[in-house]
Amino acid sequence: MNILGRVKKIPGGLLIVPMLIAAVINTAFPSLFQIGDPTTALFTSKGTMVLIGMILLVSGTQLNLSQLVTTLKRAGVLCVSRIMISVLIGWAFVHFFGIGGVGGVSAVAFIAVLTSSNPGLYLALMNSYGDEVDRAAFGILNLIAVPIIPVMILNSASGIGIDYASVIATLLPFLIGMLLGNLDSSIQKMFAPGTLILLPFLGTSFGSNIDLRVAFQSSLSGLLVTVLFLLLCMLPLIGIDRVVLRRPGYAAAATCSVAGLSMVVPSMAAGFDPAYEPYVKTAVAQIAFAVILTSIVVPYIARRLAKTGLSSIERD
């Protein structure tokens, strides 16, 4: 019974399959994962940041200092471009449509999806299609995956600045791993399979926070916000990857999946500004739908770019 082999045939399957299974379980039996620790801590969002911290440390051990400049070049360009796209389009959306948005999509839902990135899915895809530099970019990608970024965009008029503590907290495990891996090659070898082991647990923690009934209740508006996200964010980013970095574009596409962590953005935004409160419930449902849809669509786009692009675009 080759379960693992079948799961690996699915792009990003090590994360996506556990996420969807957990979502089904959470929808049918919402109290099952809440039975108590250690089950709750291991299989729900309660342990998400612990898992992300572990993956950051493990991925840091795999980054050789000789690859650091190349990693910063690739990931830095994509991350800066992603932030610029999110800020400019996010501000334009609020300017033209207000916080109520358009087509049933509020500003808080649109900007939460627009800025979202699922580093776990990115890493799963890079394990299949990328090289060591692509995988090392996981640490940098986590810097733009924190929910404070969309909240900062939504509340920029209120003067909210950069949360430097969150930036440092995200970088520290990665830097510790990088230090250990470069000081001792045996540590690097020991942690080499670590990300593959941790990805299914991360997928489960994302899925255990998704209620499929709520997600599909907003399927039409959720589909709209997802399509807008892919057109306004993914397409320009793939173009930058291909034209500026001279890469096939699969890494750029892999950064454009919506993370389950983004479902906390509406509540965070409402905490800073009560004006967003009426849109929280609908926004969470739309984001959940976008999480599911992009987790299915993005891996196939990344796979296609990896297969068709590598032969025509010169590698670095």
Side-chain angles (χ1 to χ4, degrees):
M1 193 172 184
N2 189 14
I3 297 176
L4 182 59
R6 292 175 181 175
V7 169
K8 283 186 173 182
K9 288 182 179 179
I10 301 171
L14 286 175
L15 182 131
I16 293 174
V17 173
M19 185 188 78
L20 293 177
I21 291 174
V24 171
I25 294 173
N26 183 60
T27 303
F29 309 102
S31 61
L32 182 62
F33 286 123
Q34 306 299 328
I35 194 172
D37 294 333
T39 298
T40 301
L42 182 61
F43 294 119
T44 69
S45 57
K46 185 177 179 180
T48 299
M49 295 314 296
V50 174
L51 289 166
I52 288 176
M54 292 174 68
I55 292 178
L56 280 168
L57 190 147
V58 170
S59 62
T61 65
Q62 305 306 301
L63 175 62
N64 294 320
L65 288 177
S66 60
Q67 299 172 331
L68 184 58
V69 173
T70 304
T71 301
L72 289 174
K73 176 185 174 182
R74 287 192 204 171
V77 169
L78 291 179
C79 288
V80 171
S81 300
R82 182 71 188 277
I83 291 173
M84 291 179 63
I85 290 171
S86 299
V87 171
L88 293 175
I89 296 179
W91 283 351
F93 186 92
V94 175
H95 176 75
F96 288 108
F97 304 115
I99 63 173
V102 62
V105 178
S106 65
V108 68
F110 178 75
I111 293 176
V113 170
L114 183 68
T115 57
S116 186
S117 180
N118 187 340
L121 181 57
Y122 169 86
L123 186 60
L125 293 171
M126 292 308 99
N127 279 326
S128 298
Y129 312 121
D131 55 24
E132 292 181 357
V133 177
D134 289 323
R135 289 188 284 273
F138 171 83
I140 300 173
L141 186 60
N142 271 274
L143 292 175
I144 67 169
V146 292
I148 194 64
I149 290 180
V151 174
M152 286 166 57
I153 295 174
L154 285 163
N155 296 282
S156 57
S158 301
I160 297 176
I162 299 173
D163 186 350
Y164 291 103
S166 295
V167 174
I168 295 172
T170 300
L171 275 176
L172 192 56
F174 184 78
L175 293 175
I176 291 173
M178 186 172 67
L179 177 63
L180 292 173
N182 282 275
L183 287 176
D184 187 349
S185 60
S186 63
I187 292 178
Q188 187 178 72
K189 292 178 182 177
M190 182 183 74
F191 281 108
T195 54
L196 293 178
I197 296 171
L198 292 170
L199 280 175
F201 294 98
L202 187 61
T204 303
S205 71
F206 286 150
S208 65
N209 200 40
I210 296 175
D211 188 324
L212 295 174
R213 290 169 300 188
V214 175
F216 284 100
Q217 282 174 0
S218 299
S219 57
L220 291 179
S221 55
L223 178 62
L224 174 61
V225 73
T226 303
V227 170
L228 288 174
F229 168 63
L230 296 176
L231 292 176
L232 298 176
C233 188
M234 178 185 281
L235 286 183
L237 208 61
I238 291 175
I240 291 170
D241 199 7
R242 295 175 70 94
V243 175
V244 177
L245 297 177
R246 301 298 299 167
R247 300 289 298 166
Y250 60 81
T255 67
C256 295
S257 60
V258 181
L261 194 60
S262 297
M263 289 188 286
V264 307
V265 171
S267 296
M268 287 179 63
F272 284 105
D273 187 347
Y276 295 114
E277 184 63 40
Y279 308 103
V280 170
K281 186 175 180 180
T282 301
V284 169
Q286 292 166 345
I287 296 168
F289 186 86
V291 170
I292 296 168
L293 191 56
T294 57
S295 294
I296 296 171
V297 172
V298 168
Y300 285 95
I301 295 175
R303 182 174 69 174
R304 183 172 180 82
L305 288 170
K307 287 185 175 181
T308 59
L310 286 173
S311 60
S312 59
I313 297 179
E314 181 181 355
R315 279 187 172 275
D316 288 345

